[in-house]
Amino acid sequence: MSRWRPPAEKSTALITAAGHARLKAELDELWRVRRPEVVKALAAAAAEGDRSENAEYTYRKKQLGEIDRRVRYLTKRLESLRVVDTTPTDPQAVFFGAWVELENVDSGQTSRYRIVGPDETDAGLGWISIDSPLARALLKKRLDDEFSVELPSGRHTFAVIDVEYETAAKG
């Protein structure tokens, strides 16, 4: 069985200023704090002698590999990202960074989402990736527009109730 996997779909290289700052802080934390701690623990485990039966040594080697992988990813990703920190000229239309309140036309249920880059999505906060089907369908919609979108739970019709940007948004 081969280890080949098809290349991942290219994700949009947009990020909010706050998301960019979080990724830079994570990279800094990994490089300046966590990695030196793990290297020190790895050296201590290696000094204990026989490495073939040393679980601490094996664990620390694996942990160091994971940190190095994440550092490489973040370094490359931060170079390719474009920070979007401006409000669009038409603040009534939905673009990247918008907080959008939607009403499900069928059920009457309302939901609030923020359209963010794929590196900062967080379902718990209502932050959805610009690459998601819902966000793609929302782009350029305006207040009171209705639209249909195919979601994993089936086809749904939504109405745009409110559009806000970070300066006025709650969250």
Side-chain angles (χ1 to χ4, degrees):
M1 177 177 240
S2 78
R3 297 179 74 181
W4 182 85
R5 292 187 188 114
E9 214 174 285
K10 286 277 186 197
S11 60
T12 305
L14 297 177
I15 194 164
T16 63
H20 191 263
R22 274 192 302 278
L23 289 183
K24 283 181 77 170
E26 179 186 353
L27 177 60
D28 192 53
E29 160 85 10
L30 287 171
W31 190 249
R32 296 183 192 277
V33 179
R34 294 220 18 238
R35 192 175 193 284
E37 288 172 357
V38 172
V39 168
K40 191 181 292 182
L42 179 64
E48 291 177 9
D50 186 15
R51 295 178 185 171
S52 64
E53 295 180 12
N54 189 334
E56 179 72 12
Y57 177 80
T58 305
Y59 171 72
R60 295 299 181 178
K61 285 286 286 186
K62 182 179 176 192
Q63 194 178 28
L64 185 62
E66 290 168 356
I67 289 171
D68 287 346
R69 239 183 327 279
R70 183 69 178 163
V71 165
R72 270 192 310 277
Y73 171 78
L74 287 173
T75 303
K76 287 180 181 178
R77 187 67 177 160
L78 283 167
E79 289 173 3
S80 69
L81 290 172
R82 189 178 66 142
V83 178
V84 177
D85 59 357
T86 58
T87 304
T89 53
D90 183 5
Q92 295 300 307
V94 178
F95 293 105
F96 182 83
W99 279 99
V100 183
E101 192 166 345
L102 300 175
E103 179 182 356
N104 186 322
V105 174
D106 303 324
S107 68
Q109 181 181 359
T110 61
S111 306
R112 185 173 167 83
Y113 300 105
R114 181 171 190 208
I115 299 176
V116 296
D119 297 292
E120 52 188 334
T121 59
D122 186 335
L125 295 174
W127 295 9
I128 61 172
S129 170
I130 192 164
D131 295 332
S132 70
L134 181 59
R136 290 273 181 217
L138 264 169
L139 290 177
K140 299 183 183 176
K141 298 294 184 274
R142 304 178 61 73
L143 208 56
D144 297 327
D145 280 357
E146 281 193 14
F147 65 97
S148 290
V149 62
E150 187 68 36
L151 299 176
S153 59
R155 189 149 204 78
H156 295 279
T157 304
F158 295 97
V160 179
I161 297 174
D162 189 28
V163 178
E164 296 179 3
Y165 287 88
E166 192 59 32
T167 54
K170 310 169 242 17

